[in-house]
Amino acid sequence: MKTARLIAFMLLAGLSQGCESFLDKEPLGATTQETLFRDPTNAVQAVNGIYDVTSWDQGPKWGNGPFVAQTYEWMFGDVMSDDAEKGSSPSDFPTITELKTWNIPPSNPPVTTLWVHSFTGIARANTVINNIDAGTIDEALKQRLKGEALFLRAYFYFNLVKLFGGVPLFEQTPKPTESTNVTRASIAQTYAFIEKDLKAAAALLPEKSAYATADLGRATKGAANAYLARVIMYQLGTVNGNNHTWQEVYDLTSTIITSGQYSLLPNYATIHQEIGENSSESIFEIQFATSNEGYGPIMVGTTNNIFQNNRKTFGYGFNNPTQSLVNEFEPNDPRLEATIIKDGDVVLGIRQTIDRTENATGYLSRKVAILAPNNNASGPQNIRKMRYADILLMKAEAAAQTNRGPEAVALVNQVRQRARNSTRPPGTTVGSLAYAPANTPAGTLPDLAPGLSGQALLNAIWHERRVEFGEESLRLWDLIRTGRYMASLPADVRARALTHVATETSVNPVPLVPISLEDAQTWKLPQNPGY
């Protein structure tokens, strides 16, 4: 699937340009939206073109149109939380500092790019969803591809609603003449739209085991149910206008667990390595492959690694883990070394020097550390978006919230047991890529007590989430939905964030970023509070 994205991008780019032909006759051999789904290869490539947008680091145009800057989920999920600082040199990419400090203008490049990319993906998904039923391809393939498109449309809308609040909901791509008639849905309406897509996707998609090896990484029934659980869990702590309950999260995660499709990788240190890609623990991840291509959206690799790797190797040194995150790990937890690089550490056989003039905290993320690829800006590492460990901890939280304390404890202990049995990360000796034993002392990461309950149990689950998913861009959303975000901010930053809180009734305050200036003006959309 990794190598198919470039072909898919070129195919859909050609469809979007359109052309006039002699006497308006359809050119022989041309592919149009009407003919796209008469051929199974073209139909698959149309869906691959939606996946392609999930991988865009920048773009969507390069060389022949307007450029929009880089955007990565860690800019929001990690850097806007207490888990990370911007990093790199102080003057490099100052617009990330705007996010961190809630001094965000409507022209902020990462925000604008996220908006543009998300609606590009939604438009591509709508091309599939609205045309595939009339196609003549095999019915089973048709249903699967439609399920994938529905899942991806929900994926893009979820990214939007968490940051922007309610947004325009497009089931059909609007015509240019309709741009001034676009309206914003409420946050609750946007979530209802996402849920509808995810439920429809879950009904259409196969389980992971039904895919051929070449198709690993495609959306599955488990991925649709997992994202539905995450969407509901987030609403439970924010705008819950759809009146969800923790029992729904419990039931969805139970369905995923009993499907038998997933399991924890025995060694935590392998999760973010090549051998951990599309593994038994993977529920959804963005696919990449190395190449000789540099910056630009038409590439199979990612710039994610060069942005976060050490400036003394091949990177730019962004997204520096904080001392607060380091302190959260319990003594001798093997996950600390698998998550954090400090000065003098050996990573993938190479000794690291961290220069504090170009690093904010003295730490870097080991989860994105890779050997320099063919092109520094074309990293091959997949980005993990949903892991089975998250399903276990989501169910644990749902169990704790529904008076099933012993079950919640048992689920957390599965995650802790895997962690204490892990090795050191690969390449902790110069010149070696081997996994050395961690020699973890007895008594490390002891099981939670069976009788743990109430707030103490929730605190233990939230702690486990922070150390298990450190530097995986989940921290901001966990803080917001559990009502701990505002208290985690410095007083001046908190004061600014509070001026941007969504006005809809919410369990906890939900600060929103500004809508892209150009689209807010073109579509005549009301701007978010305080901008």
Side-chain angles (χ1 to χ4, degrees), residues 16 60 99 128 141-142 169 178 196 198 209 217 293 326 372 408 412 447 449 475 499 529:
S16 67
L99 299 174
V128 175
L141 177 61
K142 182 189 296 185
L169 302 178
E178 298 171 334
K196 175 178 64 69
L198 289 173
S209 60
E293 298 150 347
V326 171
V412 176
D447 283 350
R475 177 65 173 171
T499 66

Side-chain angles (χ1 to χ4, degrees), residues 1 15 25-26 33 134 144 152 242 257 269 290 320 353 357 385 419 431 480 497 530:
M1 184 182 174
L15 283 180
K25 291 181 180 179
E26 182 178 300
Q33 289 189 5
R144 192 201 88 194
L152 292 168
N242 295 307
I257 292 169
T290 191
N320 301 162
T353 299
T357 67
K385 292 294 186 179
I480 290 175

Side-chain angles (χ1 to χ4, degrees), residues 2 15 23 29 36-38 48 61 72 101 124 134 139 160 199 222 268 323 325 332 352 354 371 473 482 503:
K2 292 184 178 187
L15 283 180
L23 296 180
L36 189 60
F37 302 103
R38 298 176 191 171
N48 288 354
K61 296 178 180 178
Y72 308 94
T101 59
R124 290 189 176 192
E139 187 64 26
L160 285 169
K199 289 175 182 177
Y268 184 88
Q323 190 65 48
L325 173 59
N332 302 309
Q352 304 290 307
I354 297 179
L371 296 174
S473 304
T482 57
T503 57

Side-chain angles (χ1 to χ4, degrees), residues 318-372:
F318 288 100
N319 195 24
N320 301 162
T322 59
Q323 190 65 48
S324 173
L325 173 59
V326 171
N327 293 346
E328 186 78 15
F329 288 86
E330 295 165 58
N332 302 309
D333 186 341
R335 290 175 294 192
L336 174 59
E337 190 177 23
T339 303
I340 304 293
I341 299 169
K342 64 182 185 301
D343 185 47
D345 281 354
V346 178
V347 178
L348 298 174
I350 302 171
R351 190 170 300 281
Q352 304 290 307
T353 299
I354 297 179
D355 184 345
R356 288 303 301 272
T357 67
E358 53 192 29
N359 183 288
T361 65
Y363 300 112
L364 292 163
S365 171
R366 194 184 293 254
K367 289 181 176 178
V368 293
I370 62 172
L371 296 174

Side-chain angles (χ1 to χ4, degrees), residues 228-240:
L228 183 57
R230 182 179 279 181
V231 164
I232 291 173
M233 187 171 76
Y234 193 66
Q235 289 175 82
L236 285 165
T238 57
V239 177
N240 191 19

Side-chain angles (χ1 to χ4, degrees), residues 267-502:
N267 187 0
Y268 184 88
T270 65
I271 292 172
H272 289 88
Q273 305 305 314
E274 185 177 358
I275 60 173
E277 291 188 347
N278 301 313
S279 69
S280 65
E281 184 157 348
S282 173
I283 295 179
F284 187 63
E285 57 190 71
I286 309 301
Q287 309 291 307
F288 294 100
T290 191
S291 70
N292 291 316
E293 298 150 347
Y295 289 103
I298 307 178
M299 58 190 296
V300 297
T302 175
T303 61
N304 188 55
N305 299 102
I306 189 173
F307 266 76
Q308 296 182 76
N309 268 255
N310 195 346
R311 292 179 71 96
K312 299 302 183 187
T313 56
F314 74 95
Y316 302 150
F318 288 100
N319 195 24
N320 301 162
T322 59
Q323 190 65 48
S324 173
L325 173 59
V326 171
N327 293 346
E328 186 78 15
F329 288 86
E330 295 165 58
N332 302 309
D333 186 341
R335 290 175 294 192
L336 174 59
E337 190 177 23
T339 303
I340 304 293
I341 299 169
K342 64 182 185 301
D343 185 47
D345 281 354
V346 178
V347 178
L348 298 174
I350 302 171
R351 190 170 300 281
Q352 304 290 307
T353 299
I354 297 179
D355 184 345
R356 288 303 301 272
T357 67
E358 53 192 29
N359 183 288
T361 65
Y363 300 112
L364 292 163
S365 171
R366 194 184 293 254
K367 289 181 176 178
V368 293
I370 62 172
L371 296 174
N374 295 342
N375 184 299
N376 287 351
S378 188
Q381 184 187 44
N382 290 359
I383 298 177
R384 281 59 166 171
K385 292 294 186 179
M386 181 76 74
R387 298 200 275 117
Y388 183 62
D390 203 353
I391 303 305
L392 296 177
L393 293 180
M394 280 197 282
K395 184 176 180 181
E397 193 166 345
Q401 296 279 9
T402 54
N403 299 313
R404 297 178 173 99
E407 185 176 3
V409 166
L411 289 161
V412 176
N413 285 340
Q414 286 186 52
V415 177
R416 292 173 68 80
Q417 180 182 25
R418 189 267 296 275
R420 64 175 173 259
N421 291 332
S422 293
T423 68
R424 300 182 72 188
T428 51
T429 301
V430 173
S432 170
L433 292 176
Y435 291 83
N439 298 318
T440 304
T444 298
L445 295 175
D447 283 350
L448 301 185
L452 198 63
S453 62
Q455 190 61 50
L457 176 55
L458 287 175
N459 290 342
I461 294 169
W462 296 342
H463 159 78
E464 206 64 35
R465 290 187 62 85
R466 189 179 188 190
V467 295
E468 175 71 18
F469 305 120
E471 293 290 286
E472 295 185 39
S473 304
L474 293 178
R475 177 65 173 171
L476 173 66
W477 318 117
D478 277 350
L479 287 173
I480 290 175
R481 71 176 180 81
T482 57
R484 297 173 292 157
Y485 180 59
M486 292 300 174
S488 75
L489 299 174
D492 59 328
V493 178
R494 179 168 60 250
R496 285 191 293 272
L498 286 170
T499 66
H500 303 305
V501 167

